[in-house]
Amino acid sequence: MRPSILFLMPRLVALTLAAASIAPDPASAQSVVSASVRGTITDDLGQPIPRTVVTLEAIGGGSTLEAITGAGGTFAFPLAAPGTYQIRAEAFGYQPLVARTLELAGGDAVRVPLSLRTATPPVVSVDTVAIEATASSRNRPGGLRLGGTDVNELPTRFGDLSAIVGRSSAFGPDLGSQGLPGSMSLLITDGLPVARAEHPTRRSEHLADAFFPRAFLSSVTAFHNATDAEWAGAAGGYATAATLSGVGSGAEVEGAWSGGPLWSSGQLDLDDTPGLTSYQAAGRASFDIKPDTTQLLIASEMLQHEAPLAPRVGPELAEALGGLGAEVVTSLAAPSVERISRYSGLGRFSTQPNENSRVFIRGALSYSERTFDGPGSLPAPAAGLGETSTEFSLASSFVSELSEGVTLELRGGVSASDRTFASATPWIPSAYLAEAGIPLGDVPGAPAETSRTDFSLLPVIRWDLGTSGALKGGVSVRAARHDMSSATWGTGDFLFTDADALLAGRGVARVADEAQATFTTREVGMFAQYDVTPAPGLDVSLGARFDYEQIPDGEPSLDTDWLAVSGLSNTDYPSAFPQVDARAAFAWDPAGDGRTRLFGVGSLHSGDVDARHLFEAFARDGAVEATRYAGSGLSWLNATVPGSAGSAPTLALLGPDVQPPRSLRATAGVVRELAAGLSVHLSGDFRRTDFLMRRRDLNLPTAPSARDQSSRDVYDTLVKDGALITVEGDDGRRFPAFGAVWALDPDGWSEYRGVTAGLEYRSDVLDLYGAFTRSETRDNWIGAARGSAEAELDPLLPAFVEDWSEGRSDFDVPDRVTASALVRIPSLPGSSVAATYRFASGRPFTPRYRYGVDANGDGSFENDVPFVPQPDELGALHSEWRCLRNQSGGFAVRNSCRGPSSHDLSVRLRVGLGELGGRPASMFVEGLNLIEPEEGLIDEALMLVDPEADLTYAQGDTRVTVPLMVNPDFGNVIVPTSRGRMLRVGLRIGG
């Protein structure tokens, strides 16, 4: 087994409470890469002290800023970089004072009132005081900043960026926000949007999510309700991250190791668990080129994370598949190893030539692989996709205070991402056994290559208008170049009723030519925001934004044959999308003491056009041929179908009303400080997103040819082969010369309602954090979470059935809980014990047929739901599954059932070792994923096709009866995908 290398987070778990002692200042226009600190120095009688020297010193390295108070005793640091600071105040005749600790994130604007005591010089003592407690610095203007935390959060998997913000119970593990998938959240790093190339067809939450290495990040914060007009491009949430700006002159090294058999899994026999070894290592070196003003940071990491996955097939099925050959059977029947490897580096140069300007340039490069290796090498589709990726990011920022109260900020950058989604070794094409419900081979549609290059430029100017408030305005320019290639069903999608049929080459096959498209999207926007304090304790923020998004090149070719038979053009769609957004927010401190703060926000903001939909329209313009074949003679391992099989071109049409998704949001809440260091928060949220893309099949016949025993419309002649139900002839196509013709229409919507309550506490010995979110998400976004074009089609049910499409969302997770605790050990400096627990309700799913059953004869295996039988026919399922009890005698309701809930517990013991080489050292022992979740591929089939019985036709072949039987394994996990538990040991020197 080759060695693996991983990095550990730069510091110990730091709770989101770290900034709870500082109140925000909404009256100052904010920046996502800078923070501002302002305050007043007074004496014992409350009188201002002029000519006080105030120093803002970065803890652990970085710039030290200095200011001198004027006649009013005020001071300001308008261009502070995000980080941890202490404030020092000194004036002749007064006792010096040091106030700890001030945590600043990008966009924070804080006021710090300080009071000096009279003292007779020379002064020999310095007081260290806590800055006056307030409710919470998470209370930014108009919203609650949930889940903001240092990058030292205990991970559920190495390298997961989502785990860093997972402390927020309002966010999903894939950065999903308020019932929208993570692909609709925008990541802003160092003040600029950063995007990865996406798989052309699969949703991003099915993919590995490594991004910037944790060793390079100083903070990550997620916002589910952005209130700043500067941010654009997401209909979901926003996550902001900052890379390290300096750790002091010197170096840090850190690493962790875990080796088999430290992994364990309840889904695997210990004797069958493959050998596993994981390593991580990171190093950082910071150089003071010019003390206190200019630093150079160089960092690198190497990591490898290995985790076991259960075998795809059991011993009985493996024996039945013996004719495939030993190598193939071993790959299917033995445990596999998921291996994530990454090698990356970062350099950052930052300088502050004077107190009025700051400059930084940052570059990062990473190479990562995700593979699945033996003895078994084929994980279930739910485990993810193998990939190789190279990513590069360059960003720079110049900030200057042009005059008192006027600041110019200029940010720009380029990022590039290149990803290849490759098959496992040995390569086996995609196949499915309908009787067992087991997928064999690689994930359908997985092989793909995709790249993306982004350019961003963002000039912003801010005016501090004093008592009249603050004004911010700017322009944003963005361009993205996309290059995607993929096959509709990979290199082949093969369906068989059972192992015997597979070995005999009897089943159904679908293949397609490679689809490829290159195109560019561009966007120019402008924004303005006014922040004002109209009354003491009341802060108001008003913002507006206008964006103009274009897709000027990469258009599809006109298919004249389709135009002739249908009268519809496949090139008729808008090439530009004007977007108008608005935001309004308030924060109110009714008592004026910072102990209670009320807030509210309303916003309308737009996302970007989904590049995957553009790829589909540009690539599937009649040039991609799809082949479908049912019968004998399939060559599965060679991924071929008989040459006599007919093929037809496929089309995807963007309609003339296409536009980007748009969200209307409203939030209201309260933050209350109960005692020193202890505060609670409560908020309610509403979100309505429109213009989500849904699809229709324009090539479906206008009228059915038959009905089944449940009065379901059937559009073509059904044929049966064991447990498979497919169609005969032309797939029930309205225009036989064409295959699937998808119409992509923005008529989808999603609504979210949720309440979040939380508690946080911080002291010298104990930190606590807890949050609970209760929510409901409803939509008409069919099959959005399945990552398949066919799953997005509404089921064709009889007219007497209610609108089946509107109901519980695929992304509805009603309950989420997060709890964290950290206990410091005073008798052992640098030592602590920490734990993080997370809970989430199970994901919803729809009772359906097995893949390979086209019950309505429309050519799709993923859009049919069964008629739920009576309780006596359901048998034990009626009592076991509450979701089935009120559905008897009707078609299954969308997402009416739920899979198993998710629990996660991780703990850490850190022991201080004193100093090694003049730098602090500590050892840590971690237990990760201690409550192993019941994850895996769920058997969603409520009704199975009886393989022994035949189809029967009556009434002149207009009434067809499909022989069905209840599936006793409904809802069970067919193939587990849990990664097991892990024990990890590590060492850190420095920091």
Side-chain angles (χ1 to χ4, degrees):
M1 175 105 24
R2 62 178 183 177
S4 58
I5 307 207
L6 285 158
F7 78 92
L8 189 67
M9 298 77 68
R11 297 179 180 84
L12 184 60
V13 174
L15 297 180
T16 56
L17 317 174
S21 61
I22 305 296
D25 178 10
S28 297
Q30 297 169 334
S31 158
V32 295
V33 296
S34 298
S36 66
V37 180
R38 303 174 187 273
T40 304
I41 308 294
T42 58
D43 60 17
D44 298 341
L45 301 177
Q47 297 300 311
I49 304 176
R51 301 195 62 78
T52 301
V53 178
V54 184
T55 305
L56 188 67
E57 181 178 352
I59 297 176
S63 298
T64 297
L65 307 178
E66 188 174 283
I68 299 177
T69 61
T74 61
F75 66 91
F77 300 103
L79 305 178
T84 304
Y85 293 87
Q86 70 177 18
I87 296 179
R88 182 183 181 95
E90 300 175 278
F92 184 79
Y94 296 88
Q95 181 172 320
L97 178 143
V98 175
R100 297 176 182 263
T101 303
L102 186 62
E103 301 276 354
L104 296 179
D108 282 349
V110 300
R111 290 192 183 104
V112 182
L114 298 174
S115 178
L116 301 183
R117 295 200 300 268
T118 303
T120 302
V123 176
V124 294
S125 64
V126 176
D127 290 340
T128 300
V129 300
I131 300 176
E132 182 179 356
T134 59
S136 174
S137 69
R138 288 185 189 82
N139 183 14
R140 296 189 68 176
L144 196 65
R145 191 165 93 189
L146 293 173
T149 180
D150 197 358
V151 295
N152 303 309
E153 178 65 32
L154 285 167
T156 53
R157 285 171 51 196
F158 297 129
D160 285 1
L161 179 64
S162 59
I164 301 174
V165 297
R167 289 274 305 284
S168 169
S169 60
F171 275 76
D174 62 327
L175 295 184
S177 171
Q178 293 188 341
L180 292 178
S183 59
M184 299 184 73
S185 290
L186 182 65
L187 176 66
I188 300 173
T189 305
D190 293 327
L192 293 169
V194 180
R196 302 187 78 194
E198 294 187 276
H199 191 284
T201 57
R202 302 285 291 183
R203 298 204 70 90
S204 61
E205 45 269 42
H206 295 287
L207 313 177
D209 55 4
F211 202 80
F212 278 99
R214 290 193 189 203
F216 303 165
L217 296 175
S218 62
S219 65
V220 176
T221 304
F223 297 89
H224 65 274
N225 198 343
T227 61
D228 200 305
E230 185 174 330
W231 295 353
Y238 293 80
T240 63
T243 55
L244 292 170
S245 58
V247 291
S249 182
E252 295 184 12
V253 293
E254 53 188 75
W257 170 88
S258 68
L262 298 180
W263 274 103
S264 66
S265 171
Q267 312 292 349
L268 297 170
D269 294 331
L270 187 59
D271 294 338
D272 293 335
T273 303
L276 300 161
T277 305
S278 298
Y279 293 92
Q280 62 180 17
R284 298 192 298 268
S286 182
F287 307 95
D288 280 338
I289 299 176
K290 185 176 181 181
D292 296 333
T293 62
T294 306
Q295 292 87 32
L296 174 65
L297 173 72
I298 299 176
S300 64
E301 74 147 11
M302 297 179 289
L303 71 84
Q304 184 161 289
H305 179 205
E306 294 187 341
L309 288 170
R312 183 173 295 202
V313 303
E316 183 176 343
L317 184 54
E319 183 178 356
L321 294 171
L324 296 176
E327 183 182 26
V328 174
V329 173
T330 299
S331 296
L332 295 170
S336 61
V337 176
E338 177 192 39
R339 177 180 293 117
I340 298 176
S341 305
R342 182 170 60 225
Y343 311 90
S344 53
L346 175 142
R348 176 169 174 145
F349 173 82
S350 56
T351 182
Q352 189 150 356
N354 55 63
E355 64 180 12
N356 296 323
S357 60
R358 182 164 61 87
V359 179
F360 88 83
I361 301 174
R362 182 264 297 152
L365 176 67
S366 70
Y367 172 82
S368 61
E369 291 182 343
R370 188 187 194 198
T371 58
F372 298 94
D373 296 317
S377 61
L378 294 175
L385 306 178
E387 69 165 284
T388 301
S389 64
T390 302
E391 284 154 330
F392 168 75
S393 177
L394 176 67
S396 63
S397 172
F398 169 75
V399 187
S400 178
E401 190 175 30
L402 302 179
S403 61
E404 186 175 358
V406 180
T407 303
L408 171 67
E409 185 170 339
L410 180 61
R411 280 167 279 160
V414 178
S415 62
S417 175
D418 187 275
R419 305 171 77 182
T420 299
F421 301 93
S423 51
T425 302
W427 172 78
I428 300 177
S430 170
Y432 186 85
L433 300 183
E435 279 193 16
I438 297 289
L440 307 177
D442 292 317
V443 181
E449 294 184 6
T450 177
S451 65
R452 173 172 178 161
T453 303
D454 288 79
F455 168 79
S456 300
L457 182 64
L458 185 61
V460 180
I461 190 165
R462 294 177 279 150
W463 294 270
D464 187 345
L465 305 178
T467 58
S468 299
L471 182 64
K472 176 172 65 172
V475 176
S476 63
V477 178
R478 295 190 295 159
R481 181 73 168 176
H482 306 265
D483 192 340
M484 299 180 176
S485 64
S486 174
T488 306
W489 298 291
T491 50
D493 190 13
F494 299 82
L495 297 93
F496 306 93
T497 185
D498 54 23
D500 291 339
L502 184 150
L503 295 174
R506 186 183 71 253
V508 175
R510 304 185 298 181
V511 297
D513 298 336
E514 183 180 53
Q516 186 170 1
T518 299
F519 55 94
T520 301
T521 59
R522 299 181 178 92
E523 184 173 338
V524 178
M526 60 184 68
F527 62 89
Q529 182 169 299
Y530 179 55
D531 299 328
V532 64
T533 302
L538 176 62
D539 302 310
V540 175
S541 177
L542 302 173
R545 182 179 184 96
F546 176 78
D547 289 284
Y548 192 76
E549 185 178 3
Q550 294 178 287
I551 45 175
D553 60 5
E555 293 91 343
S557 301
L558 176 65
D559 191 302
T560 55
D561 292 336
W562 170 254
L563 179 62
V565 299
S566 68
L568 298 175
S569 170
N570 65 307
T571 61
D572 186 11
Y573 63 91
S575 60
F577 309 95
Q579 305 162 17
V580 178
D581 298 345
R583 295 165 174 82
F586 78 91
W588 182 36
D589 179 3
D593 58 4
R595 295 178 60 87
T596 301
R597 292 180 68 85
L598 306 173
F599 59 88
V601 61
S603 64
L604 179 69
H605 61 283
S606 303
D608 293 334
V609 177
D610 194 325
R612 290 168 299 189
H613 294 143
L614 297 178
F615 160 78
E616 189 172 4
F618 296 164
R620 306 195 188 286
D621 55 1
V624 175
E625 295 278 334
T627 301
R628 181 184 177 93
Y629 176 81
S632 298
L634 302 178
S635 181
W636 172 55
L637 285 177
N638 294 323
T640 61
V641 296
S644 59
S647 61
T650 63
L651 287 171
L653 283 65
L654 294 175
D657 56 348
V658 165
Q659 55 183 303
R662 184 182 66 191
S663 290
L664 172 66
R665 297 176 182 268
T667 294
V670 59
V671 181
R672 170 68 176 173
E673 182 191 16
L674 303 179
L678 176 64
S679 63
V680 296
H681 59 255
L682 177 68
S683 64
D685 298 285
F686 170 82
R687 174 195 54 76
R688 166 82 184 201
T689 300
D690 291 297
F691 310 129
L692 297 173
M693 204 72 76
R694 302 201 311 160
R695 69 180 65 230
R696 293 178 294 125
D697 187 357
L698 299 181
N699 205 16
L700 196 67
T702 55
S705 59
R707 295 183 185 274
D708 69 3
Q709 66 263 41
S710 303
S711 297
R712 182 200 317 269
D713 293 338
V714 178
Y715 287 84
D716 200 356
T717 303
L718 301 182
V719 294
K720 182 176 181 295
D721 180 9
L724 296 177
I725 298 291
T726 183
V727 296
E728 184 179 65
D730 295 324
D731 298 343
R733 297 188 297 235
R734 182 181 181 185
F735 307 107
F738 290 88
V741 180
W742 304 122
L744 303 178
D745 295 322
D747 58 355
W749 58 266
S750 172
E751 278 192 1
Y752 171 95
R753 293 175 175 84
V755 176
T756 296
L759 177 146
E760 50 191 85
Y761 174 75
R762 184 175 185 179
S763 69
D764 293 338
V765 176
L766 177 65
D767 292 347
L768 296 174
Y769 176 84
F772 167 72
T773 296
R774 176 73 177 180
S775 64
E776 178 189 59
T777 306
R778 297 179 63 83
D779 64 20
N780 67 346
W781 208 12
I782 305 298
R786 296 179 69 88
S788 167
E790 289 187 3
E792 298 177 26
L793 291 171
D794 291 359
L796 301 172
L797 297 177
F800 59 80
V801 178
E802 295 183 20
D803 187 355
W804 186 89
S805 67
E806 299 186 1
R808 179 178 293 156
S809 169
D810 294 359
F811 304 102
D812 178 65
V813 181
D815 296 311
R816 287 193 177 100
V817 176
T818 300
S820 298
L822 183 146
V823 181
R824 301 174 185 87
I825 305 174
S827 59
L828 295 173
S831 302
S832 61
V833 178
T836 298
Y837 169 78
R838 298 182 181 90
F839 165 83
S841 299
R843 294 280 181 176
F845 69 91
T846 304
R848 59 183 73 239
Y849 295 105
R850 285 269 168 82
Y851 192 67
V853 177
D854 182 6
N856 63 358
D858 67 344
S860 170
F861 293 127
E862 297 188 59
N863 69 337
D864 301 321
V865 293
F867 195 83
V868 182
Q870 298 298 328
D872 57 337
E873 298 177 80
L874 284 173
L877 294 182
H878 183 264
S879 58
E880 293 173 4
W881 288 88
R882 185 174 58 182
C883 61
L884 298 177
R885 294 174 193 167
N886 59 352
Q887 299 192 56
S888 298
F891 287 95
V893 176
R894 181 167 77 98
N895 288 329
S896 53
C897 296
R898 288 194 181 276
S901 57
S902 172
H903 300 264
D904 178 78
L905 175 65
S906 297
V907 299
R908 172 187 287 178
L909 170 65
R910 178 175 181 177
V911 180
L913 302 178
E915 290 192 355
L916 294 178
R919 301 189 67 81
S922 61
M923 182 185 74
F924 46 86
V925 180
E926 296 173 316
L928 305 178
N929 201 28
L930 297 182
I931 304 177
E932 188 178 4
E934 299 178 14
E935 298 175 343
L937 189 65
I938 296 177
D939 190 350
E940 300 178 356
L942 175 62
M943 303 300 294
L944 304 178
V945 174
D946 186 349
E948 305 299 329
D950 296 324
L951 295 174
T952 57
Y953 283 88
Q955 300 178 13
D957 291 343
T958 61
R959 176 71 64 174
V960 58
T961 299
V962 180
L964 301 173
M965 56 187 183
V966 173
N967 178 17
D969 296 323
F970 170 75
N972 293 342
V973 175
I974 300 177
V975 182
T977 58
S978 171
R979 272 68 171 176
R981 307 174 184 91
M982 186 178 187
L983 177 67
R984 187 170 66 168
V985 179
L987 176 69
R988 177 182 299 118
I989 302 174

